[in-house]
């Protein structure tokens, strides 16, 4: 199985949700929705998720809570375009075949893009951006529930994910956390150690500066953003 990653961002901070374990009687989507609802009072602006997290249910919930959702779509997802039902892959097929799209650059990465506003049942109007990286044959598809958002901004927001995944791989390596879902005794011990370290750090900062749990999280996020670390 694959790890699932979701992060919540606002102008002055990023909060990462990275599933390593979940209740046996719940789907990952339902776990994420519960967390989003719990954190909605922090005034989160954007929810960003990978392919496994990008579902109608997550997009709808984020939208209803006043948040924007950005995520990677599967190519076979069915959407409505001018009243017709069509797969995402087919929606952009002609655009890249004609090779009329200009080469663009964001954060040093070159690519071609095409964007369209479509309707997703139970979610409403969204913007889908097809991104074809230089030297790649097949495009990737990103979606934003804010259909007025610029395509370049959608791409830029989503591109923060690799840095977050890199951070988690580093943390797991240092603490010897093995496997995706804590399937071994060693990885369980490492995960508990990691949670204890995080808890102690927050507790220390809370007492030192007289801040609440959420205030510590927000201030730490602000400093990380200032230093270009997410």
């Amino acid at each position: 199985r694959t790890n699932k990653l979701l992060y919540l961002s606002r102008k002055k901070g990023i909060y990462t949700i990275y599933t390593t374990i979940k209740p046996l009687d719940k789907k990952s989507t339902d776990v994420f929705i519960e967390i989003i609802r719990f954190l909605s009072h922090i005034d989160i602006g954007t929810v960003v998720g990978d392919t496994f997290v990008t579902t109608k249910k997550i997009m709808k919930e984020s939208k209803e809570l006043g948040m924007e959702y950005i995520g990677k779509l599967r190519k076979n997802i069915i959407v409505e375009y001018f009243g017709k039902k069509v797969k995402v892959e087919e929606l952009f097929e002609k655009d890249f075949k004609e090779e009329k799209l200009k080469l663009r650059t964001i954060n040093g990465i070159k690519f071609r893009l095409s964007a369209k506003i479509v309707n997703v049942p139970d979610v409403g109007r969204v913007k889908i951006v097809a991104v074809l990286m230089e030297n790649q044959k097949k495009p990737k598809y990103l979606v934003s529930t804010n259909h007025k958002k610029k395509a370049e901004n959608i791409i830029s927001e989503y591109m923060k994910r690799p840095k977050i995944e890199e951070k988690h791989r580093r943390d797991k390596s240092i603490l010897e956390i093995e496997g995706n879902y804590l399937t071994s005794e060693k990885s369980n011990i490492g995960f508990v150690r990691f949670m204890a370290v995080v808890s102690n750090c927050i507790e220390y900062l809370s007492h030192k500066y007289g801040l609440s749990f959420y205030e510590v999280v927000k201030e730490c996020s602000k400093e990380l953003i200032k230093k270009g670390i997410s």
Side-chain angles (χ1 to χ4, degrees):
R1 292 188 286 180
T2 308
N3 281 326
K4 299 177 178 67
L5 172 67
L6 183 77
Y7 79 79
L8 315 175
S9 69
R10 54 202 298 255
K11 290 182 179 179
K12 297 182 180 179
I14 287 180
Y15 307 88
T16 308
I17 303 173
Y18 188 79
T19 61
T20 52
I21 194 167
K22 65 182 179 63
L24 294 175
D25 60 336
K26 290 185 179 182
K27 295 180 179 179
S28 294
T29 298
D30 294 329
V31 174
F32 279 132
I33 285 176
E34 287 183 10
I35 296 171
I36 291 170
R37 286 174 179 169
F38 177 73
L39 295 174
S40 61
H41 67 282
I42 301 178
D43 188 28
I44 293 161
T46 308
V47 180
V48 181
D50 59 20
T51 309
F52 296 94
V53 181
T54 305
T55 64
K56 291 179 183 179
K57 201 171 181 180
I58 285 279
M59 288 192 282
K60 182 181 179 182
E61 187 69 30
S62 300
K63 201 171 183 179
E64 289 178 351
L65 289 171
M67 307 174 194
E68 174 191 4
Y69 182 86
I70 293 176
K72 186 179 176 183
L73 274 179
R74 292 185 178 90
K75 63 182 181 180
N76 60 348
I77 293 291
I78 303 293
V79 298
E80 296 174 354
Y81 188 61
F82 287 104
K84 294 183 179 180
K85 292 184 179 181
V86 59
K87 290 183 180 180
V88 170
E89 183 180 34
E90 296 169 355
L91 188 63
F92 295 93
E93 203 168 17
K94 290 183 180 179
D95 296 353
F96 291 101
K97 277 185 177 179
E98 295 175 358
E99 296 184 354
K100 293 181 179 179
L101 302 173
K102 295 180 180 179
L103 197 63
R104 309 189 187 198
T105 304
I106 292 182
N107 297 339
I109 299 176
K110 295 181 179 180
F111 58 88
R112 289 180 171 81
L113 71 82
S114 179
K116 298 181 190 295
I117 296 174
V118 304
N119 181 68
V120 176
D122 299 325
V123 178
R125 284 196 293 177
V126 302
K127 178 171 282 186
I128 297 179
V129 184
V131 185
L132 182 61
M133 301 293 183
E134 191 177 30
N135 300 323
Q136 289 190 2
K137 295 181 178 180
K138 296 183 179 181
K140 296 178 181 178
Y141 306 98
L142 305 181
V143 63
S144 170
T145 52
N146 179 3
H147 66 276
K148 296 180 180 179
K149 195 182 190 79
K150 289 184 178 180
E152 291 84 356
N153 292 339
I154 293 172
I155 295 169
S156 181
E157 191 75 33
Y158 187 80
M159 284 172 66
K160 295 175 183 177
R161 287 187 64 260
K163 290 183 180 180
I164 296 171
E165 290 179 329
E166 184 180 333
K167 173 185 176 296
H168 281 289
R169 283 195 294 269
R170 180 200 67 199
D171 294 344
K172 289 174 70 176
S173 175
I174 293 172
L175 295 171
E176 298 180 349
I177 301 176
E178 298 176 349
N180 292 339
Y181 287 88
L182 308 180
T183 54
S184 70
E185 181 181 353
K186 192 173 183 180
S187 64
N188 281 331
I189 294 171
F191 182 72
V192 171
R193 188 187 303 139
F194 173 73
M195 295 303 293
V197 170
V198 172
S199 177
N200 287 340
C201 287
I202 293 176
E203 191 71 23
Y204 168 75
L205 293 172
S206 178
H207 283 289
K208 183 175 181 179
Y209 297 105
L211 300 172
S212 67
F213 173 87
Y214 290 111
E215 287 171 334
V216 170
V217 173
K218 285 191 283 187
E219 291 303 315
C220 287
S221 295
K222 288 178 185 178
E223 291 303 312
L224 288 172
I225 294 300
K226 286 179 185 177
K227 298 181 185 304
I229 305 170
S230 51

